[in-house]
Amino acid sequence: MSAEPEIEIEEELPLQELPLDGWHRAKGARMVGFAGYHMPIQYEGIMAEHLWTRAHAGLFDVSHMGQLVFTGEGVDAALEAIIPASLTSLTVGRQRYSLLLDEEGGILDDLMVSRRPDDIYMVVNGATKYDDIGWLIEHLPDEVTMSLLDEHALLAVQGPEAVAALTRLVPGVEQLYFMQCAGFGWEGHALWVSRSGYTGEDGFEISLPAEAAEAFADALCAQPEVKPIGLGARDSLRLEAGLPLYGHDLTPDISAIGADLGFAILKKRREAGGFIGHARVATELAQGAPVRRVGLAIEGKLPAREGAEIFAGAQQVGTITSGGHAPSLGAPIAMGWVDAAHATLGTTLEIEVRGKRIAARVAPMPFVPHRYHRQPS
Amino acid sequence: MSRYFTEDHEWVDVAGDIATVGITNYAQEQLGDIVFVELPEEGKTFDKGDDAAVVESVKAASDVYSPVSGEVIEANGALEDEPALVNSDAEEDGWFFKLRLTDASELDSLMDEAAYTKFVAGL
């Protein structure tokens, strides 16, 4: 018996340790190489951890991600010249999802950007953070200072009981709505907390000094609602939530509109442009994107995984970009890139797995409904 | 009945010229939650080391090799409805398929239980 590598393991550079490395090992985590770090893939098992998060609350260590802060004269305009987010309308305590696009409109990364009282705070993917920093340095004017918070950990608490657990430690976080953020304190340490995450559940992401991470993780896991959750369940949770994973569902080979991320670009910026990659966005808003990221519901039990080819009859019309068993649904699901002519909801397609064709249907995402704590409108 | 093991974490029970094949408890622990098992059809013939089955966990697909040469006489249909049997009972009810051996001397190259336990301890 032999397993395919579970995730891409980078062997060029020695793997680095995250602030919670020893903590994960003490909790019984199985560690793997991911994004240049030793990271926990699972503790008690992916299925149990996934279902626990959907029913209670899970603690995820996402300290491998890049936490960047920007300050200086004209920082809003400087960032708006690079990313399609609208910074001028971003008020203190608000967070938005945005993208780094290349000159051709391909996706270099996806990210969260928020305004804090004294700076702009951005979270980018771990595997891409050094490339992102290079790209930003190249395009930012000298007046803007960018720093990497490499002495900070980033933890996510996700699930319907996350608010109860975190409020006990950090009173006041319950007042935040989805995509709002604010500064709090815990035992003398400064926390920056946003009500957001990547599981489709209500929850929080907490940036804190690395030296406080272990005690804070212990305090969270001492709450009856909270268990530590590994990368494996993080992946199955985000797939069920229809959320794309950079390096798989998003790459420079797909555009913002093709990836169905047009929501991240507000009307004003779609029309006026002025950010890198706008020409492609404008063209595809008018004419449609030739390739689209879609969700796929799969008949039967056999999972279709990344790289599997998608067919309409004899013609290959796409490729699976991520797929697997959905623990909350008890069935396989997938995301893929499909030629626009075959990307309409309900279109029946076939996926080839080990020489066999399995039936699939273009399905609405999320596969499992989001349960964000949105501000009543 | 004798039980043999491979370095790829398959086990083989031999009774007469019939071999029952599965994956070891160590293997199922490494794979985690198993959600699908693709089994060979009856009548299919394998050489030692051929791809014989595929086991899908939540995270990944893994090949299962035929530890010996032979012809498939039965596959464990129970795994189609309940793939998690491989997690709960890998070395008994979670068996994969039965082969009619074509070369019993191939068993000589496999490990016995003591040797396999030592092999796993060294991993």
Side-chain angles (χ1 to χ4, degrees):
Chain A
M1 196 205 78
S2 85
E4 301 289 318
E6 289 178 334
I7 40 186
E8 294 149 48
I9 294 171
E10 297 177 4
E11 297 192 83
E12 300 86 0
L13 294 166
L15 295 173
Q16 299 187 67
E17 286 184 9
L18 292 170
L20 288 178
D21 189 274
W23 187 89
H24 294 306
R25 292 174 198 271
K27 292 274 178 195
R30 187 179 298 169
M31 304 295 277
V32 297
F34 181 79
Y37 295 91
H38 293 285
M39 292 196 64
I41 182 117
Q42 66 171 68
Y43 303 82
E44 60 176 308
I46 294 173
M47 198 95 85
E49 291 168 32
H50 178 115
L51 297 173
W52 179 268
T53 304
R54 288 261 184 262
H56 306 285
L59 173 65
F60 302 77
D61 180 12
V62 287
S63 302
H64 64 300
M65 299 186 88
Q67 301 182 64
L68 303 171
V69 293
F70 302 84
T71 53
E73 182 77 31
V75 63
D76 290 3
L79 282 170
E80 281 201 348
I82 304 172
I83 65 173
S86 176
L87 272 293
T88 47
S89 68
L90 183 69
T91 52
V92 172
R94 300 299 161 113
Q95 174 171 272
R96 284 187 186 144
Y97 177 76
S98 193
L99 301 164
L100 277 188
L101 302 177
D102 65 20
E103 307 285 358
E104 287 76 44
I107 300 174
L108 294 174
D109 205 359
D110 63 339
L111 57 91
M112 290 290 191
V113 61
S114 49
R115 186 182 303 279
R116 309 201 291 190
D118 301 318
D119 56 31
I120 299 283
Y121 170 71
M122 186 184 283
V123 179
V124 300
N125 278 295
T128 47
K129 65 184 174 189
Y130 296 112
D131 289 338
D132 292 352
I133 289 168
W135 178 261
L136 288 161
I137 288 172
E138 192 184 326
H139 292 94
L140 283 172
D142 294 342
E143 298 76 41
V144 172
T145 306
M146 172 177 62
S147 347
L148 174 66
L149 300 182
D150 53 2
E151 297 294 317
H152 272 64
L154 187 64
L155 302 177
V157 201
Q158 301 280 298
E161 297 175 356
V163 62
L166 187 61
T167 301
R168 237 173 269 133
L169 299 183
V170 189
V173 294
E174 75 283 359
Q175 311 239 340
L176 296 171
Y177 287 108
F178 181 58
M179 296 298 261
Q180 292 184 351
C181 43
F184 293 88
W186 180 76
E187 305 211 335
H189 300 287
L191 313 180
W192 181 255
V193 180
S194 66
R195 195 153 193 172
S196 54
Y198 224 59
T199 59
E201 297 296 329
D202 181 25
F204 300 85
E205 291 170 299
I206 304 136
S207 172
L208 75 171
E211 68 267 19
E214 205 164 300
F216 191 70
D218 275 337
L220 272 170
C221 285
Q223 308 304 312
E225 299 91 348
V226 184
K227 285 186 182 184
I229 308 295
L231 283 178
R234 182 169 160 81
D235 191 46
S236 53
L237 288 159
R238 69 90 199 163
L239 180 60
E240 286 184 347
L243 300 170
L245 181 62
Y246 194 81
H248 302 265
D249 312 299
L250 308 179
T251 78
D253 293 327
I254 195 155
S255 65
I257 303 305
D260 198 22
L261 301 176
F263 72 88
I265 311 174
L266 298 184
K267 186 160 175 277
K268 190 184 80 175
R269 302 229 67 201
R270 290 176 174 200
E271 288 166 2
F275 57 87
I276 299 170
H278 173 253
R280 173 88 167 269
V281 171
T283 304
E284 293 188 351
L285 280 170
Q287 302 172 4
V291 173
R292 286 171 50 193
R293 178 178 68 94
V294 298
L296 293 156
I298 293 166
E299 219 165 83
K301 291 279 181 189
L302 175 59
R305 312 232 181 230
E306 181 175 2
E309 296 177 345
I310 305 170
F311 289 86
Q315 186 197 359
Q316 191 193 340
V317 298
T319 308
I320 298 294
T321 51
S322 46
H325 179 79
S328 299
L329 302 172
I333 54 172
M335 276 182 213
W337 294 351
V338 173
D339 293 345
H342 301 276
T344 312
L345 282 182
T347 305
T348 46
L349 296 166
E350 288 183 315
I351 304 170
E352 197 166 290
V353 180
R354 296 190 289 274
K356 272 187 291 216
R357 294 283 186 92
I358 53 178
R361 184 174 41 80
V362 177
M365 292 194 285
F367 297 100
V368 170
H370 293 162
R371 296 195 287 180
Y372 302 137
H373 183 63
R374 292 182 189 278
Q375 183 163 25
S377 46
Chain B
M1 192 164 66
S2 318
R3 179 166 282 200
Y4 303 86
F5 294 86
T6 72
E7 292 191 358
D8 297 315
H9 308 287
E10 290 98 12
W11 56 263
V12 194
D13 274 349
V14 180
D17 66 344
I18 304 301
T20 305
V21 177
I23 67 168
T24 64
N25 197 49
Y26 173 85
Q28 71 77 19
E29 278 177 9
Q30 292 297 308
L31 289 170
D33 305 299
I34 288 162
V35 296
F36 187 86
V37 182
E38 190 171 296
L39 294 165
E41 286 168 20
E42 277 174 41
K44 199 155 183 196
T45 58
F46 293 128
D47 289 332
K48 184 182 182 202
D50 281 355
D51 292 347
V54 179
V55 56
E56 300 258 6
S57 67
V58 177
K59 197 74 197 138
S62 308
D63 289 317
V64 176
Y65 308 117
S66 188
V68 285
S69 305
E71 180 187 340
V72 177
I73 57 163
E74 190 183 349
N76 186 0
L79 298 185
E80 287 175 19
D81 296 328
E82 200 187 343
L85 260 183
V86 181
N87 291 121
S88 58
D89 198 8
E91 300 198 12
E92 295 296 339
D93 291 350
W95 61 277
F96 278 41
F97 55 88
K98 293 182 183 184
L99 290 173
R100 191 180 312 282
L101 292 174
T102 49
D103 182 2
S105 73
E106 287 174 347
L107 296 167
D108 298 342
S109 64
L110 303 182
M111 289 178 275
D112 63 13
E113 183 148 18
Y116 179 71
T117 304
K118 201 172 157 193
F119 171 72
V120 166
L123 293 179

